[in-house]
């Protein structure tokens, strides 16, 4: 029997990865990464001297097409397979990453007249400049007792669709009016490949306040937010919402020729990257929590119960695996937090030593930090360098490091930041469990488990739980390929369901991280202190972080020409 393959396309923060997978057993045949030529645009608009304000993060959508054009032919070429054997394509994307497009689906930033308009570009998931709008959405929803609010733990985020779209309307009404619709980037790539203008239930459910039976928030709600938003859903969010795990459409002849694939190849409904990572880690049963550990950390938890509680930042029925409730929580800076320290906080002598040993600064600091015992650094941090996504849902919070002395060394700070990330995760797990949603099993995936063993051990020690690691190092792209294989369906040689496909195409490693009880005792004590800081700075009315941000913004405005 001829082998059948699926392609998973994983759009991350900095690059896109294409993975060719044997659908029989999940064997990863070939992979190729294309870095986005424009990367994350957070300082200056491309080819212009327009400076962006703090908290902005944009992208150029042509970079997404560059991934398709380069990486798909590259995997076909390096694998040497017959393209006819590729039966399905799945696409996952960071979210909420959104762009305004015209009637034909062309991004407004491609149009000459809008090239110098920041609001015409893609707003990346970590664009946090719509906090003002998010605050007003939350106040209005609370005042009107909007039923959707409890599904998101009582607060919506500045990262999500409505806040971002409203920011466009407030700051660039011309762009808002010109936009035929505002799309998730996942749906936009699906549109390019298939010409089907559909929306993913996963993106709509987690990021656009949509519910399977209730739909979007009411017209009255949008009218109360801002009369100009009254028809927001019918206009800017138009498009049929298709269920995760279904086929969005088929590859057009034009794209088939560009990619070297067969026209008519099944393309799956788009999925959020972290959620694809859950399927790619084999998590398809209630009680399993997947931690997608990379630039950020997303926690995906499956349950047969729907519980609404403060601090749980999103529950969507069928949101990760059809038939179960999918919960999402997260920390918006984890790898990025360690990366920030390595780039901005490390003295030259560390870089020289790391280079002398022929290892990265991360690996060098990990080696030194491993020699330290829990609590030995005398330091404690709040991991909010990119705001807090769970359980406080507030992008205006910022990082904190306590306990420094003249003896503090770079490895102390590095270890303290790894611990802070782990404390943040413990807080999330405890919030779920206190609300009555069980966490029975932790499975880690993403780039970090591969790169930093100390981090993983600290996560096990701090949470007091065993941490399994998904076998694939590319679980997100593998997850996307699984959705591609299901979109193709059994009749084309794919699968009927995500559960069946994931059980055939994924596995976890033999080796896991088990908590060291001596370390866990110390971490219990440190966690109590973490919690005190968390409550004080997060919801104790001690709003120094917000005051600093206000002053900073004012000064930035005065300084800008
Ligand atoms: N050895 C390391 N230890 C900890 N963090 C690391 C290490 N090497 C790289 N990082 C961080 O990992 C992040 C990239 O993670 P990765 O999983 O590749 O990306 P993404 O989340 O975009 O898919 C960066 O933020 C980088 O700072
Ligand atoms: O917000 C989500 C998922 O909800 C992610 O897309 C976002 O955190 C980006 O994740 P990574 O860049 O892949 O770490």
């Amino acid at each position: 029997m001829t082998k059948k393959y699926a392609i998973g396309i994983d759009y991350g923060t900095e690059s896109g990865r294409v993975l060719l997978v044997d659908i029989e057993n999940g064997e990863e045949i070939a992979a190729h990464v294309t870095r986005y030529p424009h990367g994350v645009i957070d300082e200056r608009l491309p080819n212009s001297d327009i400076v962006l304000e703090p908290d902005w993060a944009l992208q150029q959508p042509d970079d997404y097409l560059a991934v398709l054009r380069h990486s798909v032919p590259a995997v076909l070429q390096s694998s040497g397979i017959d393209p006819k054997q590729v039966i399905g394509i799945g696409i996952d994307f960071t979210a909420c990453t959104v762009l305004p497009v015209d009637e034909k689906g062309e991004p407004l930033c491609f149009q000459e007249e809008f090239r110098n308009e920041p609001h015409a570009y893609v707003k990346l998931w970590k664009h946090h400049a719509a906090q003002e709008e998010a605050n007003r959405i939350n106040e209005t929803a609370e005042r009107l007792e909007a039923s959707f609010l409890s599904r998101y733990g009582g607060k919506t985020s500045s990262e999500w669709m409505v806040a971002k779209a409203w920011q466009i309307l407030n700051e660039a009404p011309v762009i808002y009016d010109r936009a035929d619709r505002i799309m998730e980037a996942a749906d936009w790539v699906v549109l390019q490949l298939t010409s089907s203008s559909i929306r993913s239930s996963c993106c709509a459910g987690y990021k656009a306040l949509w519910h399977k039976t209730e739909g979007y928030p009411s017209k009255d709600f949008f009218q109360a937010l801002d009369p100009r938003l009254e028809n927001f859903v019918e206009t800017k969010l138009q498009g049929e919402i298709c269920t995760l795990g279904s086929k969005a459409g088929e590859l057009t002849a034009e794209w088939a020729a560009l990619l070297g694939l067969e026209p008519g190849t099944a393309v799956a409904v788009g999925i959020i990257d972290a959620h694809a990572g859950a399927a790619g880690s084999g998590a398809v049963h209630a009680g399993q929590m997947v931690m997608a550990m990379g630039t950020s950390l997303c926690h995906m938890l499956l349950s047969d119960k729907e519980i609404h509680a403060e601090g749980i930042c999103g529950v969507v029925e069928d949101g990760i695996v059809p038939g179960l409730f999918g919960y999402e929580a997260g920390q918006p800076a984890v790898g990025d937090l360690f990366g920030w320290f390595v780039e901005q906080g490390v003295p030259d002598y560390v870089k020289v030593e790391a280079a002398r040993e022929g290892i990265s600064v991360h690996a060098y600091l990990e080696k030194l930090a491993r020699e330290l015992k829990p609590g030995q650094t005398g330091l404690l941090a709040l991991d909010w360098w990119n705001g807090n996504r769970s359980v406080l849902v507030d992008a205006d919070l910022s990082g904190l490091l306590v306990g420094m002395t003249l003896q503090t060394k770079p490895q102390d700070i590095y270890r303290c930041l790894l611990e802070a990330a782990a404390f943040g995760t413990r807080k999330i797990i405890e919030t779920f469990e206190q609300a009555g949603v069980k966490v029975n099993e932790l499975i880690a995936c993403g780039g970090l488990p591969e790169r930093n063993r100390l981090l993983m051990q600290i996560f096990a020690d701090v949470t007091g739980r065993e941490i399994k690691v998904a076998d694939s190092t590319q679980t997100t792209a593998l997850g996307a390929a699984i959705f591609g294989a299901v979109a193709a369906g059994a009749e084309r040689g794919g699968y009927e369901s995500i559960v069946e496909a994931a059980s055939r195409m994924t596995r976890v490693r033999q080796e896991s991280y088990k908590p060291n009880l001596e370390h866990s005792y110390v971490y219990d004590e440190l966690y109590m202190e973490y919690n005190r800081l968390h409550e004080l700075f997060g919801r104790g009315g001690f709003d120094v972080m917000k005051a600093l941000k206000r002053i900073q913004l004012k000064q930035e405005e005065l300084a800008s020409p």
Side-chain angles (χ1 to χ4, degrees), residues 10-15 17 35 94 125-126 273 292-297 333-343 360-364 366 414 418 445-453 455 473 476:
D10 164 34
Y11 284 97
T13 300
E14 310 273 348
S15 60
R17 171 183 301 270
R35 283 195 81 74
T94 64
W125 65 274
K126 64 177 175 175
D273 55 356
M293 304 177 73
T295 308
S296 65
L297 202 169
V334 170
D336 251 5
L337 170 57
F338 318 140
W340 165 82
F341 180 62
V342 161
E343 277 156 34
S360 70
V361 176
H362 280 288
Y364 180 71
E366 183 196 348
Y414 192 74
L418 303 184
C445 66
L448 293 189
E450 229 8 62
R451 296 196 177 105
N452 197 319
R453 295 181 64 85
L455 174 73
T473 55
T476 312

Side-chain angles (χ1 to χ4, degrees), residues 267-294:
V267 179
V269 168
I271 177 167
I272 301 176
D273 55 356
H275 301 58
S281 304
V284 287
H285 300 295
Q288 291 180 308
M289 177 185 265
V290 171
M291 302 190 291
M293 304 177 73

Side-chain angles (χ1 to χ4, degrees), residues 327-360:
Y327 291 82
E328 182 187 350
Q331 292 163 266
V334 170
D336 251 5
L337 170 57
F338 318 140
W340 165 82
F341 180 62
V342 161
E343 277 156 34
Q344 307 295 339
V346 170
D348 271 352
Y349 77 88
V350 170
K351 295 180 187 158
V352 170
E353 270 308 300
R356 205 176 54 78
E357 293 193 17
I359 56 178
S360 70

Side-chain angles (χ1 to χ4, degrees), residues 8 10 39 62 109 126 316-317 349 415 459-460 482 493 507 514 542:
D10 164 34
D62 194 47
C109 64
K126 64 177 175 175
V316 176
E317 190 176 352
Y349 77 88
R415 183 173 177 118
F459 263 64
I482 288 174
R507 56 204 65 81
K514 301 201 176 58
F542 192 62

